[in-house]
């Protein structure tokens, strides 16, 4: 195939995907509009406010990008696990564990040069996030315990244990909500030069990781093994690949990325660990990955889209009185259409499998 | 006796394969009809057509004298046809009674009348001696009990024509005997039974008449009482003299490359699947393993290639012991493996063509360094083997799913043989479901390989294939290997006897 023809094929593919997602978005917005109408408000006004709040000015755009940092990282976390067919539903817990670890390094170590302090914070978050995946994957490999259940349970442990930590041993007397001391200034991620916006280098870190994860999955031996195990573990074992090791690594990497997400949002945005700081970043990460068809680069636009919805929802609520929960309806509808699509693709595949049943 | 089922001039083709060709089958009411034949003879397809799971390309079907069209299983059930599949279709978390009445539950108002369901199930089970405990969960029931529940499920829906697809393949000998008593009772009650099998002794024991299929056609129908397992085996595998295609040159047989010594393998349930298997393959030689599927061939292949542990014995590759090493170690030592199920084991269908082609060799130079895959080198290697082995693909980066079955198999062969490294090739059903051109190509590739001094272990349920390729033949029956010797004029008879469990 000539490179020109290949480029053409690629462009057509991208255009089809874009049209596909646009259609889904329109259908979801129509459903949302119906709900707004029923509640007696004007959907057009609400959507304008939503758009304005998300992307209406350079500062708004920068804030949306900032919010997308953690979502990109949790989205990547989900993509690594799902690509390997490891069903890590513990991203939220891994995010909390990583966030607390990063905060602890941030407020209890003093006097370090900023780059080192930041690196230590992020490393701590990554490490502890990965460790939080460890029990689930060990249970799976040793006793075939379903990771869906164990990771879900580990979420509660992480969320409630960190809540305990900030309510008692680490409670800051100055904090309004249960939370830790503020991080040292040396541990805070530097802002990017956009006056009035919270956008910081966390976003660039997230982008770098998206490309790194892409490179890892598609260019390295380990990544190749992970993907083959995810496609068909029987085949991978038959070909001589280390199936158990791949499963193990997928969970640990996934947890580490979620933990890094927690670290980034604490060192970049909040500046201290606050209990229930996450508004479902871990859960959104799974949905974002699904929206991106578990592709690390697809995670970037999907995460920015989700961040825009979240930021826009706040503006919509204050401007028009349409509750931000409405955005949850829109998100849910999008997910519905996306999963239905996958379901149709799945059915297609199964049908083709059944067709040539000889003998 | 009136006619229960007549299938006339049934033809059914799948892409590249004729599954049924002008098949005629007429069965009387109250008859137990056995349908026998090797794997791929078209038995199951014919029954799936009758049960509405496949549609025939041409031909007519009469049920109880009426000409009918059976587009789906619901119509078949309404016509009084029931089918018990080889792999049961029961809900594991439900009780047996719930499964039997599933979808046609007796109701009291809007609710399922569980007591009546249980009572009806027990009445039905008592009537035919199909003992089941309706309150037991499927996951707690024995295989025999699950099968009885499947039969009751069909009867509960009013079936008087019962199709049983290889019903004994999962049963113990005692359960098989019990099943036959029940089948006779059902037949005496006027039910018609179509019984697919390839175990001739069972067929002789239970059926009234036997229809033999081979290569999609009916070879003949005989009264079971007037035949013998020898005659049936001859019909199954054909009477014609062996046509051994002239091998270009006589094999240059050399040193042993693969030796098995008293190998035992247990299957996933802990039941011995391979018992005291011993064999020797020399360099340049093809050793064929014939036998009906499910006699331990898969386990044997998987034990050699490190996918299943062996319980005792030794496996040597060119003198070095390789038993219970990891699959990667065994492959690196020089064992290639063409698995019997290409779609579930041989490839990842979602992965791209090149990703499947490199799956065995990707981890070492020149295809990768410490960490990173040498994608360009892999792609040029993939391009080379795709051409050499004639894999028809839209591109190296296409999903493997887009390839036809024959080309997926060529891809598997290309991967396993392409690197020219293997000393032993374990080839299980290497040409199953593949058209003639593809079959010939794959057979030629295997024979070429022996020319380079490798040994081939060919495992196939297709006796013609075994005879066409092998220098020596062994037969696997109930996990044991019996030597049928060199391929000569009388090999078919010897193999036929060993296949049905007779002493050599």
């Amino acid at each position: 195939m000539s490179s020109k023809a290949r480029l053409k094929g690629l462009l057509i593919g991208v255009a089809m995907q874009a049209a596909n997602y646009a259609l889904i978005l329109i259908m979801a917005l129509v459903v949302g509009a119906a709900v707004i109408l029923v509640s007696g408000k004007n959907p057009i006004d609400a959507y304008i406010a939503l758009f304005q709040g998300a992307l209406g000015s350079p500062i708004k755009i920068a804030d949306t990008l900032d919010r997308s940092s953690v979502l990109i990282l949790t989205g990547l976390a989900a993509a690594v696990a799902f690509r390997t067919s490891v069903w890590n539903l513990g991203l939220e817990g891994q995010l909390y564990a990583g966030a607390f670890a990063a905060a602890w390094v941030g407020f209890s170590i003093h006097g370090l040069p900023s780059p080192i302090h930041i690196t230590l914070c992020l490393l701590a978050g990554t490490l502890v996030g990965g460790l939080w995946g460890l029990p689930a994957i060990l249970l799976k490999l040793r006793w075939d315990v379903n990771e869906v259940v164990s990771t879900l349970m580990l979420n509660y442990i992480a969320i409630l244990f960190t809540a305990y930590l900030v309510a008692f041993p680490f409670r800051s007397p100055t904090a309004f909500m249960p939370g830790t001391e503020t991080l040292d200034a040396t541990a805070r991620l530097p802002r990017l030069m956009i006056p009035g916006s919270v956008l910081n280098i966390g976003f660039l870190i997230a982008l770098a990781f998206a490309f790194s994860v892409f490179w890892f999955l598609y260019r390295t031996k380990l990544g190749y093994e992970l993907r083959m195990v995810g496609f068909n573990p029987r085949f991978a074992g038959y070909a001589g690949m280390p199936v158990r090791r791949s499963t193990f690594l997928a969970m640990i990497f996934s947890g580490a990325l979620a933990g890094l997400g927690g670290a980034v949002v604490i060192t970049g945005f909040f500046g201290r660990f606050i209990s229930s700081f996450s508004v479902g970043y871990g859960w959104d990460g799974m949905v974002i990955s699904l929206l991106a068809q578990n592709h690390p680069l697809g995670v970037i636009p999907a995460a920015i889209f989700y961040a825009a919805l979240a930021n826009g929802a706040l503006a919509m609520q204050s401007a028009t009185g349409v509750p931000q929960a409405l955005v949850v309806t829109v998100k849910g509808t999008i997910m519905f259409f996306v999963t239905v699509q996958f379901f149709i693709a799945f059915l297609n595949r199964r049908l083709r499998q059944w067709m040539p049943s000889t003998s | 006796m009136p006619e229960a089922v007549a299938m006339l001039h049934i033809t059914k083709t799948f892409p590249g394969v004729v599954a049924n060709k002008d098949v005629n089958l007429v069965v009387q009411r109250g008859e137990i009809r056995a349908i026998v034949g090797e794997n791929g003879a078209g038995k199951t397809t014919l029954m799936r057509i009758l049960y509405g799971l496949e549609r025939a390309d041409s031909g007519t079907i009469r049920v109880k004298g009426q000409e009918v069209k059976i587009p789906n299983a619901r119509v078949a059930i309404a016509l009084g046809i029931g089918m018990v599949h080889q792999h049961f279709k029961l809900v594991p978390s439900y009780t047996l009674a719930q499964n039997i009445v599933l979808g046609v539950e007796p109701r009291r108002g809007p609710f399922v009348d569980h007591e009546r369901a249980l009572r009806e199930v027990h009445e039905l089970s008592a009537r035919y001696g199909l003992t089941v405990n309706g309150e037991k969960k499927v996951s707690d029931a024995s295989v025999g009990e699950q099968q009885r529940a499947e039969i009751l499920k069909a009867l509960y829906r009013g079936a008087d024509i019962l199709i049983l697809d290889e019903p004994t393949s999962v049963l113990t000998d005692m359960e098989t005997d019990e099943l036959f008593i029940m089948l006779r009772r059902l037949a005496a009650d006027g039910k018609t039974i179509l019984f697919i099998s390839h175990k001739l002794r069972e067929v002789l024991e239970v059926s009234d008449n036997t229809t033999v299929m081979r290569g999609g056609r009916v070879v003949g129908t005989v009264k079971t009482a007037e035949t013998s397992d020898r005659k049936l085996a001859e019909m199954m595998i054909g009477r014609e003299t062996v046509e051994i295609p002239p091998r270009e040159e006589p094999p240059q047989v050399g040193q042993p490359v693969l030796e098995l010594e008293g190998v035992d393998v247990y299957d996933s349930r802990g039941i011995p699947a391979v018992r005291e298997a011993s064999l020797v393959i020399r360099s340049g030689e093809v050793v064929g393993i014939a036998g009906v599927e499910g006699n331990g061939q898969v386990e044997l292949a998987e034990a050699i290639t490190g996918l299943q542990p062996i319980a005792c014995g030794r496996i040597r590759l060119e003198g070095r012991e390789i038993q219970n090493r990891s699959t990667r170690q065994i492959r690196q030592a020089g064992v290639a493996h063409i698995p019997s199920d290409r779609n579930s084991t041989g490839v990842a269908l979602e992965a791209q063509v090149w990703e499947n082609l490199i799956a065995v060799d990707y981890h070492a130079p020149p295809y990768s360094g410490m960490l990173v895959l040498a994608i360009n080198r892999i792609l040029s290697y993939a391009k080379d083997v795709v051409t050499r082995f004639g894999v028809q693909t839209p591109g190296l980066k296409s999903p493997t799913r887009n390839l036809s079955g024959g080309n997926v198999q060529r891809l598997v062969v290309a991967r396993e043989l392409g690197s020219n490294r293997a000393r032993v090739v374990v080839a299980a059903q290497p040409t199953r479901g593949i058209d003639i051109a593809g079959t010939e190509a794959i057979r030629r590739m295997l024979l070429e390989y022996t020319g380079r001094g490798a040994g081939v272990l060919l495992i196939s349920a297709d006796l013609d294939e075994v005879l066409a390729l092998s220098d020596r033949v062994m037969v696997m029956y109930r996990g044991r290997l019996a030597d049928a010797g060199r391929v000569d004029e009388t090999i078919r008879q010897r193999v036929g006897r060993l296949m049905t469990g007779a002493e050599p």
Side-chain angles (χ1 to χ4, degrees), chain A residues 215 218-221 224-225 227-228 231-232 234-235 237-242 349 352-353 355 357-359, chain B residues 44-45 54 328 331 337 339 344-347 350 355-356 359 362-363 368-373 401 415-416:
Chain A
W215 178 81
Y218 290 90
R219 292 291 179 268
T220 67
K221 289 200 277 191
Y224 169 79
E225 284 165 1
R227 289 188 300 115
M228 293 306 123
F231 283 137
N232 182 351
R234 218 182 129 72
F235 159 73
Y238 146 83
M241 295 178 203
R349 277 209 311 269
R352 258 181 289 169
Q353 262 172 24
M355 292 275 266
S357 54
T358 44
S359 98
Chain B
T44 302
T45 304
E54 307 274 1
R328 173 159 293 168
R331 280 180 167 282
H337 180 196
S344 75
T345 309
V347 292
E350 313 300 328
E355 291 172 329
N356 274 306
Y362 73 95
H363 60 87
S368 60
M370 282 281 287
L371 203 62
V372 185
L373 295 170
R401 177 170 298 291
R415 179 186 60 223
E416 298 300 319

Side-chain angles (χ1 to χ4, degrees), chain A residues 9-298:
Chain A
L10 189 73
L11 283 178
I12 291 174
V14 170
M16 294 263 291
Q17 289 283 351
N20 185 14
Y21 282 111
L23 192 69
I24 291 172
L25 179 61
I26 289 168
M27 289 194 288
L29 289 178
V30 168
V31 172
V35 178
I36 298 173
L37 268 179
V38 168
S39 69
K41 302 264 169 39
N42 182 342
I44 309 232
D45 289 349
Y47 282 151
I48 289 175
L50 182 101
F51 182 81
Q52 293 280 335
L55 305 164
S57 71
I59 293 178
K60 299 263 165 66
I61 293 176
D63 285 348
T64 292
L65 292 182
D66 176 62
R67 194 187 268 265
S68 77
S69 314
V70 55
L71 292 174
I72 291 173
L73 288 166
T74 53
L76 292 171
V80 168
F82 294 173
R83 275 269 162 204
T84 320
S85 294
V86 169
W87 307 113
N88 177 15
L89 302 194
L91 297 176
E92 191 76 5
Q94 291 146 7
L95 177 97
Y96 269 91
F100 186 85
W104 187 81
V105 173
F107 67 71
S108 57
I109 302 178
H110 308 287
L112 289 172
S114 181
I116 294 177
H117 203 177
I118 289 172
T119 310
L120 284 181
C121 285
L122 298 184
L123 262 181
T126 311
L127 215 68
V128 172
L131 278 178
W132 209 256
L134 192 65
I137 198 63
L138 289 182
L139 285 171
K140 180 186 170 73
L141 290 176
R142 181 68 185 80
W143 284 294
D144 209 17
V145 175
N146 191 335
E147 74 273 22
V148 168
V149 179
S150 56
T151 51
L152 271 177
M153 295 300 125
L154 282 164
N155 283 341
Y156 292 108
I157 298 175
I159 295 168
L160 296 174
F161 184 62
T162 53
Y164 157 78
L165 288 178
V166 295
F168 299 103
F170 291 98
R171 170 147 207 173
S172 160
T174 62
F176 171 63
M177 284 191 286
T180 62
E181 302 284 342
T182 51
L183 272 57
D184 284 17
T186 49
R188 300 294 306 270
L189 297 180
R191 296 264 168 99
L192 294 175
M193 292 302 144
I194 293 161
S197 163
V198 290
L199 184 64
N200 56 63
I201 63 161
F203 180 65
L204 300 181
I205 293 173
L207 285 186
F209 267 90
F211 284 97
S212 307
V213 169
F214 170 76
W215 178 81
F216 168 74
L217 280 177
Y218 290 90
R219 292 291 179 268
T220 67
K221 289 200 277 191
L222 277 178
Y224 169 79
E225 284 165 1
L226 258 58
R227 289 188 300 115
M228 293 306 123
V229 169
F231 283 137
N232 182 351
R234 218 182 129 72
F235 159 73
Y238 146 83
M241 295 178 203
V243 177
R244 291 164 61 85
R245 183 179 81 186
S246 299
T247 315
F248 177 82
L249 288 179
M251 177 66 91
I252 301 300
F253 289 169
S254 175
L257 284 164
L260 177 64
V264 161
V265 80
I266 293 301
T267 54
F269 185 78
F270 288 106
R272 58 147 56 106
F273 182 91
I274 304 163
S275 74
S276 64
F277 73 93
S278 164
V279 286
Y281 293 129
W283 303 109
D284 281 349
M286 290 173 213
V287 178
I288 285 164
S289 179
L290 218 55
L291 209 57
Q293 301 181 8
N294 299 331
H295 194 288
L297 297 183

Side-chain angles (χ1 to χ4, degrees), chain B residues 365-423:
Chain B
Y367 304 116
S368 60
M370 282 281 287
L371 203 62
V372 185
L373 295 170
I375 302 256
N376 286 331
R377 210 167 293 155
I378 292 173
L379 285 177
S380 70
Y381 168 74
K383 201 169 162 187
D384 171 51
V385 288
V386 159
T387 327
R388 266 201 290 144
F389 288 83
V391 185
Q392 308 267 326
T393 167
L396 295 175
K397 295 190 175 175
S398 311
T400 308
R401 177 170 298 291
N402 292 353
L403 271 59
S404 72
N407 278 304
V408 171
Q409 186 70 3
R410 279 180 188 238
L411 188 158
V412 172
V413 174
R415 179 186 60 223
E416 298 300 319
L417 306 185
S419 63
N420 293 331
R421 207 151 34 79
R423 303 296 300 143

Side-chain angles (χ1 to χ4, degrees), chain B residues 5 35 73 85 231 258 331 387 401:
Chain B
V5 174
I35 301 171
H85 296 269
K231 281 186 199 151
L258 182 74
R331 280 180 167 282
T387 327
R401 177 170 298 291

Side-chain angles (χ1 to χ4, degrees), chain B residues 220-236:
Chain B
T221 299
V222 292
K223 277 203 159 55
T224 308
E226 295 166 7
T227 189
S228 67
D229 59 352
R230 183 80 54 86
K231 281 186 199 151
L232 286 177
E234 275 175 13
M235 286 170 79
M236 265 171 78

